[in-house]
Structures are given as C-alpha cells and as structure tokens.
Amino acid sequence: MAYMTVAERTARRFRFVRSPSYRSWLVLLGLTGLGVYIAATSTGSCIWSVEQRAATASTVSYRCCVDSTFLWRLLCALAGLGLGYVCMDKWEECVLDKSQGKVTLTDQAFGDRFLFNYKKTIVSELDGITNVTVEKEVVRYAGTGYQVVLWFDSGYSLAMTSSCSFARTPSEHEEIAKQIIAFLGLKTGDDDTHGDFKSGKQD
C-alpha cells in the first residue's frame, strides 16, 4: 500500500491523500463473506428446556423451544462485518496551504464516510513547522512501519497519517519528507540517519 500520494501541488498549496488499499477492501469483503457463510450454514436449536418430576413419579416435561437460527445468523454476519470494519484503512488527507497559513489533517473511517459524513480534522499553523522527520515503528509479527511526522516550534508533533505503512525501506516516506521540506523552504540538516530528516527554517 502506498503511504500517501500527491493529489495537488502548486506554488501555494500541497495536498496529499491516502485511501484504503485493495488488500483492505479484500479483508473487509472476505471477513463479511465468512460471517455470511457461517450464518447461512447454521441450523436452529432449542435454547431452553426444563424438566420437572411430579410427586406421582411420572415425568412432566416443560420445554420452551425457541428457534435461535435467526439470532445466531445475525450475530455471525455482524461479527464478520465488524472484524472487517476494524481492519479497514482510513481515508486521510494532509493539506499544506500557504495562502491560509494552515496545515490541515483529516481522516475518515468507513462508517464516518458512508454513514455519518463526518471528518476528524486537525488544523495547525503552517509557519510553526520546523522539522520534518521519518519515524520508524517496529510492530511484532507485522514488520517495520514508517510515518512522516511534522514537528512544530512549540514542541508538539503531528503525524501525516493516523497509522504507519509497512515497507522494507523508507524510501517513499523519505521522498515525501523531502518534497515537504522543499515546499516549505526548510533547511535540511546533515544527520538523516535511518531516514530521519532534521530541518530548520532558512534565515
């Protein structure tokens, strides 16, 4: 999966976007299909029964037989859909706008996009960016992931995406960091070990 792609680039505006990968869609469809398959092959059963022995030594049975097929099938289908939803990547966007002097980060989950039309948005001052780095994260059993991080003069940082992307090398992330450095006119430092870029504003 590509980390982020350039959707727009002018002298005043730089916009990156990220969409769910084909693998993410396949996981969603696969888990949902598995849930539907399990639901379709399920059979009904009695979920409650009581037997009571009368004083006359004759057995009287009380049975309340409730068909659990529908509930079980619904549970299986929803479980498959829920697992697929959790594994689904987000729609994300990073906009660097010199005209407004703002950097805007937005992300939308599957439900936010198609059900609620909601975007999580973070806005910060573009002039406050002093550093652009590529950060590495090692995830057990998954591999090594990388993120491009914007550092601000007040000491806090913002990652361009809510999650890292896994890759053998950070070359794609390094290229994005270099493009942002060039767009903002930042000065690159000499110590770029492990794909980290240190930058400061030019005098």
Side-chain angles (χ1 to χ4, degrees), residues 55-166:
T56 58
S58 61
T59 302
V60 180
S61 298
Y62 300 91
R63 297 180 62 86
C64 179
C65 188
V66 179
D67 189 359
S68 61
T69 302
F70 174 76
L71 295 177
W72 175 249
R73 289 179 176 178
L74 181 62
L75 177 62
C76 291
L78 291 178
L81 180 61
L83 287 175
Y85 174 82
V86 171
C87 297
M88 191 74 179
D89 295 325
K90 295 181 178 180
W91 284 264
E92 299 183 87
E93 182 180 70
C94 176
V95 179
L96 308 171
D97 195 323
K98 291 183 178 179
S99 299
Q100 298 180 357
K102 303 291 184 181
V103 53
T104 305
L105 304 174
T106 61
D107 70 64
Q108 280 184 302
F110 183 87
D112 296 334
R113 186 178 182 89
F114 295 105
L115 298 179
F116 308 110
N117 193 27
Y118 168 77
K119 285 185 179 181
K120 179 183 176 182
T121 304
I122 300 176
V123 180
S124 190
E125 296 296 326
L126 189 65
D127 291 341
I129 298 177
T130 57
N131 284 350
V132 181
T133 64
V134 178
E135 302 294 332
K136 180 172 68 173
E137 180 181 357
V138 179
V139 181
R140 182 178 295 182
Y141 308 123
T144 303
Y146 301 92
Q147 278 183 305
V148 178
V149 179
L150 309 176
W151 294 86
F152 294 82
D153 51 11
S154 56
Y156 71 96
S157 63
L158 291 175
M160 289 182 63
T161 57
S162 59
S163 61
C164 62
S165 64
F166 295 97

Side-chain angles (χ1 to χ4, degrees), residues 1-15:
M1 173 184 177
Y3 180 62
M4 297 196 87
T5 57
V6 178
E8 178 185 356
R9 182 171 187 178
T10 65
R12 307 292 299 173
R13 182 179 168 88
F14 206 175
R15 185 166 71 96

